[in-house]
Amino acid sequence: MHKKTIFMMLTVASAATALTACADPTTTTSSGSTTAATASSATSYDVSSIPTVDEIAALVPDDVKKRDRRRSATTLISIRHSHR
Amino acid sequence: MGLNSGETKHSEFPTIIPALGTKFDVGISSFTITTEREQQVNMVSYLNVGSAWGVATGNPKNFNPSDPCGTTIAVQTGTAQEDYAATLSDECVAAGKGKITVMPHELQTDIATKLIGGQYDATLADSTVIGYTSTQSGGKIEQIGETFESAPQGVAIAKDDAQLTEAVQKAMQYLMDNGYLTDILATYGAENAALTTAELNPSVN
């Protein structure tokens, strides 16, 4: 459980930082169940405080804009960083 | 980026890159930037992560990161640091010094508890793990010595998605330039890992 917690913190941070302006990040397991990322006991950063930058938003491809949702992938293998 | 929502799916690590551009827009999973990966996908750098030693605050066991021979250290099972510790121990023995007793654990939390309790001299883990463990322990664990064997990590985007790549790169650079990346990472004790330039496909060894 804690592996998940630990990893989640970097995942959430990374996901939040990478594309920001996604004020309500959720996580979905590969089996399809969805949980709030904030279900982790890890402290989280409120990405909603980061303003949208119009000129960057304009760069987002149309298919992503139409979807209005950015899909990112990560893994819960943990923070052990065997991911190298 | 002006999107109203984000969705993060958890997938097996090796399956993420092949699914970029179809199932996923971006992959963010501690991807160390390598030339091999840069041939497959675009990589935008944002973190620099290495290995680091952690000890109970104040270093009550007087652990010396420059000479870990004869100590007992804890690592997470299956990590690069577990292998590295074994190599270090072999070097100690070859040099006529005491071996390193390496104690593998599944959970870093177990390591933290035992480290604080005085069972181990130190732990060896990713620098971000040490930072987070320190934060979660309420300052009862601290890094000792410098981070070593650092390598950049990046966000992965499909090679043929130049537009999204540019958007991610500029968004990341914006976060860096305005202090957001550092602030976010500081929440997790990992602020020292932040890079200052979101470089596209940086030159790496």
Side-chain angles (χ1 to χ4, degrees):
Chain A
M1 180 64 78
H2 191 68
K3 277 192 297 188
K4 181 173 180 177
T5 300
I6 289 176
F7 183 77
M8 190 71 84
M9 66 90 185
L10 281 183
T11 297
V12 172
S14 300
T17 58
L19 298 163
T20 183
C22 295
D24 182 26
T26 58
T27 58
T28 305
T29 66
S30 55
S31 62
S33 61
T34 301
T35 56
T38 49
S40 161
S41 61
T43 309
S44 60
Y45 184 93
D46 180 13
V47 296
S48 66
S49 64
I50 302 174
T52 298
V53 180
D54 291 339
E55 70 179 62
I56 296 174
L59 293 171
V60 176
D62 289 341
D63 62 322
V64 179
K65 283 180 185 167
K66 285 177 187 169
R67 205 190 310 132
D68 201 22
R69 174 180 286 267
R70 175 265 308 151
R71 305 167 305 176
S72 62
T74 189
T75 174
L76 285 177
I77 289 176
S78 93
I79 192 172
R80 342 171 154 223
H81 282 219
S82 307
H83 297 195
R84 298 178 177 206
Chain B
M1 296 176 75
L3 302 175
N4 286 323
S5 61
E7 177 184 44
T8 300
K9 289 192 175 183
H10 301 141
S11 294
E12 292 295 319
F13 187 71
T15 69
I16 295 175
I17 283 181
L20 290 173
T22 52
K23 190 175 179 182
F24 306 123
D25 299 312
V26 297
I28 310 171
S29 189
S30 299
F31 286 114
T32 295
I33 300 176
T34 64
T35 51
E36 291 77 16
R37 285 186 181 137
E38 286 180 337
Q39 289 169 1
Q40 294 179 278
V41 292
N42 285 327
M43 302 288 294
V44 174
S45 61
Y46 70 111
L47 284 181
N48 197 47
V49 178
S51 295
W53 294 99
V55 296
T57 297
N59 194 13
K61 299 272 194 175
N62 293 315
F63 177 78
N64 180 359
S66 299
D67 183 15
C69 300
T71 62
T72 299
I73 68 165
V75 295
Q76 270 193 286
T77 308
T79 59
Q81 289 82 14
E82 183 179 22
D83 295 337
Y84 183 71
T87 300
L88 274 181
S89 183
D90 290 343
E91 291 175 359
C92 288
V93 173
K97 297 181 177 180
K99 71 170 186 175
I100 298 172
T101 302
V102 181
M103 304 296 289
H105 287 266
E106 277 297 312
L107 302 178
Q108 191 68 25
T109 43
D110 290 344
I111 293 173
T113 300
K114 292 177 179 177
L115 190 62
I116 294 167
Q119 287 182 250
Y120 304 138
D121 296 293
T123 179
L124 182 61
D126 272 5
S127 52
T128 45
V129 176
I130 295 299
Y132 185 66
T133 302
S134 176
T135 299
Q136 291 297 98
S137 71
K140 292 178 181 174
I141 291 173
E142 63 181 357
Q143 180 173 332
I144 187 168
E146 298 296 318
T147 298
F148 56 97
E149 292 192 328
S150 296
Q153 296 183 350
V155 180
I157 310 106
K159 204 72 175 171
D160 60 359
D161 203 340
Q163 196 175 342
L164 184 59
T165 298
E166 184 182 5
V168 169
Q169 183 185 18
K170 291 197 171 175
M172 189 62 75
Q173 190 62 56
Y174 174 82
L175 295 174
M176 292 171 173
D177 292 344
N178 291 279
Y180 291 119
L181 180 63
T182 301
D183 287 348
I184 291 166
L185 293 172
T187 308
Y188 311 103
E191 64 273 23
N192 292 335
L195 291 174
T196 56
T197 302
E199 195 173 355
L200 172 61
N201 297 328
S203 176
V204 293
N205 293 326

